[in-house]
């Protein structure tokens, strides 16, 4: 199974926001950090905002931030918003399937079990887990401590 670009960048956006907490993240900065277009990122953010994973703050010094604590956002939460379906085989989707074994198939059963295991693993990882190496991630994303307000530096160092 391969996740779409939307899922990959949605996860990266959430990690960026978590690493940048408690500050606001600018879409332009996230796009630059990941070498993607701002337009693509704006389209990607919309379902994250609608699901409450991200909040937007309007205004000149506005931006985006996590809509709930990073510990409460799982990878499964994210990919369920960004993936269209999880059909691992034609028979997952129902409808007109030419296989005569479709109703009693061990392959279908095995694939469903594998998908369930995949979901369980994704549900066990949070954005907080992925953002735990905060200082090195900040450096790699171009977020420098010197650019933060002094009060935020002390909070972000933890």
């Amino acid at each position: 199974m391969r996740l779409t670009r939307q899922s990959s960048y949605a996860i990266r956006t959430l990690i960026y926001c978590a690493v940048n907490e408690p500050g606001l993240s600018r879409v332009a900065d996230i796009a630059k950090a990941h070498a993607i277009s701002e337009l693509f990122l704006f389209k990607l953010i919309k379902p994250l905002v609608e699901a409450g994973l991200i909040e937007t703050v309007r205004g000149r010094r506005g931006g985006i931030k996590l809509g709930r604590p990073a510990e409460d956002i799982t990878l499964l939460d994210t990919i369920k918003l960004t993936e269209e379906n999880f059909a691992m085989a034609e028979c997952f989707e129902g409808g007109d399937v030419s296989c005569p074994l479709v109703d009693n198939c061990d392959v279908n059963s095995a694939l469903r079990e594998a998908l369930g295991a995949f979901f369980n693993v994704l549900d066990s990882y949070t954005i907080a887990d992925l953002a735990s190496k905060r200082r090195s991630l900040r450096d790699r994303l171009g977020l420098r401590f010197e650019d933060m307000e002094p009060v935020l530096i002390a909070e972000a160092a933890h």
Side-chain angles (χ1 to χ4, degrees):
M1 175 172 279
R2 182 180 180 143
L3 297 178
T4 61
R5 285 182 60 219
Q6 287 85 346
S7 292
S8 176
Y9 288 113
I11 292 166
R12 293 181 201 192
T13 298
L14 292 167
I15 292 170
Y16 188 105
C17 290
V19 169
N20 198 35
E21 282 186 325
L24 293 175
S25 300
R26 293 181 18 174
V27 171
D29 295 337
I30 298 169
K32 181 180 177 186
H34 295 296
I36 58 174
S37 79
E38 288 182 45
L39 181 60
F40 175 73
L41 193 52
F42 274 115
K43 289 179 184 177
L44 180 70
I45 288 170
K46 188 175 188 264
L48 299 177
V49 170
E50 290 170 353
L53 301 185
I54 286 182
E55 289 181 9
T56 58
V57 177
R58 299 196 185 279
R60 185 173 165 214
R61 297 174 68 73
I64 62 172
K65 64 181 184 174
L66 294 181
R68 56 188 200 229
E71 301 82 30
D72 296 341
I73 303 172
T74 68
L75 289 179
L76 184 60
D77 295 333
T78 308
I79 69 157
K80 281 193 169 184
L81 292 173
T82 54
E83 294 294 322
E84 287 188 28
N85 77 53
F86 295 96
M88 294 178 70
E90 192 178 315
C91 52
F92 265 48
E93 297 172 354
D96 184 27
V97 179
S98 60
C99 178
L101 304 175
V102 72
D103 291 329
N104 192 18
C105 178
D106 290 336
V107 172
N108 190 309
S109 177
L111 292 175
R112 287 190 189 284
E113 185 178 340
L115 185 61
F118 178 65
F119 285 166
N120 288 338
V121 170
L122 292 177
D123 200 36
S124 73
Y125 284 90
T126 67
I127 296 302
D129 296 331
L130 301 176
S132 65
K133 294 180 180 130
R134 189 175 189 131
R135 185 172 288 276
S136 68
L137 285 172
R138 287 186 65 80
D139 290 343
R140 285 189 266 160
L141 292 170
L143 294 166
R144 300 172 356 144
F145 280 98
E146 303 86 63
D147 298 336
M148 296 176 72
E149 296 176 30
V151 174
L152 300 180
I153 291 173
E155 292 176 11
H158 298 296

